[in-house]
Amino acid sequence: MLEESFSELEQARLKKLRALEAAGIDPYPTRSEQTHTSQVAIDAFVNAEAQTEARPIQVTAAGRIRSLRLMGKLAFAHIQDRDGGLQLFFRVNDLGEEKMAELTSFYDLGDFIQASGTMFRTKRGEVSLHVEDFKMLAKTLRPLPAAKDEVVDGEIIRHATLSDPETRYRQRYVDLAVNTEVQEIFKTRSATIRALQKFLDDRDFIEVETPILQPIYGGAAAQPFITHHNQLHQDLYLRISFELYLKRLLVGGLERVYEIGRDFRNEGVSYKHNPEFTQLEFYWAYADYLMVMALAEEMVAFAAEKVLGTTIVTFNGNEINLAPPWKRVELRQGILEAAGIDINEHPTAESLQMAMEARQIKHKPGSTRGKLIDTLIGDFLEPNFIQPTFLYNYPRDISPLAKSKPGDPMVVERFEGFIGGMELCNAFSELNDPLDQEQRFIEMDRAYADDDEEQHPMDDDFLNALSYGMPPAGGFGIGVDRLVMLFTGRRSIREVILFPHLRTQDSEA
RNA sequence: GGGCGUGUAGCUCAAUGGUAGAGCAGUGGCCUUUUAAGCCAUUGGUUCAGAGUUCGAGUCUCUGCACGCUCACCA
């Protein structure tokens, strides 16, 4: 029972709720009204103020009570609505003893109120609503964490705010209600996705949706979640990427497609990894990875400009400029300069491993050549790519869906984009030769035969699709959560996901 | 999964192994232009859970749980 979990504070509120009902007031009325948001009301008043013979601005505002200052026959409150806050001014002369008592005896911080009246300016200069009538819209039984805002020189200083990360993520509704700057993160997130969509829509891409429940997973090297369809007696995987389905659409003649959605990877959780995360992938017929590179930097800069009004962001203490062109580093050259190893001189895993050991570089024993190169990237390059950087020309054996570089069988036309020391995107000239693709699947199978984590299952229907002919194309994937981290300057992916994954608790407080 | 750290009132935090406290919030008063409103009074605790050491544990030990940081794997 909810009521049994109530603290003393909550019991006090419950008593007020009962008292409201006893007074014939519905604490949760069905109808409500909001003629102006706080900002619209304030703007309207400020406008009218500038004119001579302005008519009074009649407003019905609605929102959550964030502060309440009772002063006997006077009262001030601030309510919070979707675009800000508004001060309410109550006076017994206007409301009468009975109505005033309703406010003082039944209302608490956190309650939703609807208030009507005219806009005015207080002696201290704050544009406020002079309340003529008000009603309870929703009684709050649990107290919101007490937070008070102090304005010093225009800066808002928040006292004793809710800061425990566990409570903030587990009860995000409280976090959002109390820490309004958290709302801004998710407004930015929403705007970012809209901007990415607009950018691609304007270039004739169509947005599609492909299966999340898949009989065969693929398109990335990751462990999947497994689920089960009861009626069909069939195990299914939650997708780890969109790639193989989107390429089927290229076969079908949809030349420019993209999808924004959720991927699921059954792996470790960290400040940049959540088990489910949002990805954008696009596939572009008659393009190659160099064209994709140019489009990608343009897209990110467009989104930044549209959402933030600038291409300059601050992340982890670094000022980062997202404006194109981004730095381009050829992988072989990059590793040579950073680690002093020329990977071309080490065509086998054994040789490369020896070169790394000679330099005391840690690595997983038994790795493939590509994996070793990946280790070098992670150790020597990725952390140093603070400004946007494309690293291009990847080893073939860790890129089973990318097309080989003409004249260089060990290398594929693939690039990854890094910003703030973090991998942000991955792209390549898409392999469209069904026979080569089959060969790659077989190679992966052989190379990782002993390693369940790296299984890359053969997708026969995908090969079948390629056999019907897929136009040459460039493909691209970007982690939307990480992009939002950059745009909002948040160092943890949990800050930009509304309900990040947490372990379950036995007893919820 | 490994290492380090944290867990005390609704929130933010104190408390040499010796009576668990403060501010805000709450409750009762006073207050007709306040804005971290103010003044007076006051309530509120399974100190994450369990076991142990001790005359005595919020504090020390062990186990478990959750969260954070970090390493490994991945995006």
Side-chain angles (χ1 to χ4, degrees):
Chain A
M1 285 273 291
L2 185 63
E3 218 176 301
E4 285 162 10
S5 69
F6 279 3
S7 68
E8 189 188 356
L9 272 65
E10 291 151 358
Q11 293 292 351
R13 284 167 178 247
L14 189 61
K15 263 173 79 179
K16 291 185 187 179
L17 178 126
R18 301 282 183 239
L20 268 170
E21 288 171 335
I25 299 167
D26 183 355
Y28 302 102
T30 306
R31 309 284 170 229
S32 56
E33 200 188 345
Q34 181 186 46
T35 61
H36 298 64
T37 62
S38 53
Q39 200 54 54
V40 170
I42 290 166
D43 289 347
F45 177 79
V46 170
N47 256 331
E49 218 178 18
Q51 296 163 13
T52 50
E53 273 189 61
R55 270 181 302 182
I57 310 291
Q58 272 288 333
V59 165
T60 297
R64 195 193 277 279
I65 299 175
R66 290 306 309 281
S67 69
L68 188 56
R69 295 178 292 282
L70 302 175
M71 303 176 63
K73 299 187 170 60
L74 269 189
F76 291 88
H78 272 94
I79 61 166
Q80 181 181 306
D81 62 21
R82 69 177 179 277
D83 68 5
L86 178 66
Q87 179 166 261
L88 308 182
F89 173 67
F90 303 84
R91 207 170 57 154
V92 69
N93 309 35
D94 314 307
L95 295 163
E97 296 280 350
E98 198 180 329
K99 193 71 181 167
M100 198 67 188
E102 191 181 312
L103 178 74
T104 52
S105 47
F106 299 141
Y107 282 68
D108 286 304
L109 296 184
D111 292 348
F112 283 91
I113 188 176
Q114 172 183 314
S116 307
T118 54
M119 299 299 291
F120 79 116
R121 197 180 277 277
T122 63
K123 280 183 186 165
R124 294 290 180 90
E126 180 164 347
V127 177
S128 308
L129 177 61
H130 193 136
V131 178
E132 288 149 17
D133 193 20
F134 63 89
K135 76 170 183 177
M136 178 73 77
L137 292 184
K139 182 70 192 162
T140 299
L141 292 179
R142 299 211 193 261
L144 289 170
K148 287 196 167 188
D149 291 348
E150 181 187 15
V151 181
V152 177
D153 303 329
E155 296 269 308
I156 294 173
I157 300 170
R158 186 152 298 151
H159 300 270
T161 185
L162 173 69
S163 59
D164 174 43
E166 185 172 354
T167 311
R168 287 189 49 232
Y169 300 148
R170 260 186 222 287
Q171 297 182 253
R172 183 68 95 176
Y173 37 90
V174 176
D175 187 32
L176 287 164
V178 167
N179 298 325
T180 45
E181 72 279 4
V182 174
Q183 294 185 6
E184 296 307 315
I185 295 173
F186 294 100
K187 288 176 185 172
T188 298
R189 184 180 173 115
S190 172
T192 301
I193 289 172
R194 294 255 177 276
L196 295 171
Q197 286 168 323
K198 174 161 176 48
F199 182 87
L200 291 169
D201 291 345
D202 287 351
R203 284 157 185 79
D204 249 4
F205 283 79
I206 65 164
E207 184 172 10
V208 298
E209 292 164 284
T210 62
I212 292 172
L213 295 175
Q214 303 182 347
I216 297 172
Y217 63 92
Q223 293 189 73
F225 285 93
I226 302 170
T227 187
H228 185 77
H229 192 295
N230 292 340
Q231 186 77 43
L232 300 178
H233 304 297
Q234 184 186 15
D235 277 344
L236 291 165
Y237 301 99
L238 301 186
R239 68 179 170 196
I240 59 171
S241 85
F242 321 153
E243 174 150 3
L244 302 185
Y245 279 95
L246 291 178
K247 284 198 234 178
R248 284 171 169 94
L249 300 180
L250 295 184
V251 172
L254 301 179
E255 294 178 353
R256 298 178 181 192
V257 295
Y258 74 96
E259 178 164 6
I260 297 174
R262 213 67 63 81
D263 274 342
F264 306 85
R265 298 192 183 174
N266 205 339
E267 285 162 357
V269 177
S270 80
Y271 73 94
K272 51 181 175 176
H273 299 271
N274 196 61
E276 51 181 298
F277 64 102
T278 299
Q279 174 107 318
L280 179 157
E281 290 188 27
F282 70 70
Y283 291 84
W284 180 14
Y286 314 116
D288 60 27
Y289 78 143
L290 292 176
M291 294 163 72
V292 169
M293 215 183 271
L295 194 69
E297 60 189 3
E298 195 190 335
M299 179 171 75
V300 170
F302 171 86
E305 191 68 52
K306 187 126 181 108
V307 174
L308 308 169
T310 171
T311 57
I312 294 172
V313 298
T314 303
F315 184 74
N316 207 8
N318 295 302
E319 188 171 277
I320 293 171
N321 192 348
L322 302 170
W326 295 359
K327 197 171 148 196
R328 284 151 165 78
V329 175
E330 207 267 333
L331 188 142
R332 175 193 171 194
Q333 198 63 32
I335 290 179
L336 180 61
E337 282 168 22
I341 295 176
D342 184 350
I343 56 174
N344 280 21
E345 288 175 6
H346 303 284
T348 65
E350 293 70 33
S351 159
L352 183 56
Q353 191 174 318
M354 279 169 62
M356 287 168 69
E357 276 164 11
R359 287 166 181 76
Q360 270 99 44
I361 299 168
K362 274 196 308 182
H363 64 275
K364 217 166 127 186
S367 294
T368 64
R369 179 173 178 274
K371 277 278 173 190
L372 292 171
I373 291 172
D374 214 27
T375 302
L376 291 171
I377 295 170
D379 289 355
F380 290 91
L381 298 177
E382 180 167 356
N384 301 319
F385 290 154
I386 303 299
Q387 294 301 320
T389 307
F390 289 126
L391 186 67
Y392 65 99
N393 290 352
Y394 273 64
R396 174 185 150 112
D397 73 28
I398 51 169
S399 314
L401 300 164
K403 212 167 193 171
S404 291
K405 198 169 156 55
D408 195 345
M410 300 286 282
V411 171
V412 293
E413 293 199 348
R414 171 183 177 188
F415 72 83
E416 293 189 316
F418 299 86
I419 303 181
M422 192 166 62
E423 185 186 337
L424 189 71
C425 58
N426 182 19
F428 25 91
S429 299
E430 301 295 338
L431 181 56
N432 63 342
D433 174 344
L435 299 172
D436 190 359
Q437 183 65 73
E438 181 181 35
Q439 200 55 40
R440 303 289 194 93
F441 277 132
I442 292 168
E443 279 172 29
M444 293 299 289
D445 209 40
R446 200 178 300 138
Y448 298 110
D450 304 326
D451 190 349
D452 283 347
E453 295 180 18
E454 296 292 347
Q455 283 298 327
H456 220 92
M458 175 81 69
D459 188 332
D460 288 318
D461 182 68
F462 176 64
L463 292 176
N464 191 43
L466 289 189
S467 306
Y468 280 95
M470 185 183 99
F476 174 84
I478 184 168
V480 172
D481 311 281
R482 291 185 181 178
L483 188 63
V484 176
M485 286 166 68
L486 279 175
F487 283 5
T488 57
R490 304 288 153 160
R491 239 179 74 77
S492 169
I493 199 168
R494 296 183 196 101
E495 289 288 346
V496 303
I497 292 174
L498 278 168
F499 299 98
H501 181 77
L502 298 176
R503 284 188 170 85
T504 50
Q505 272 186 327
D506 292 341
S507 56
E508 282 285 345

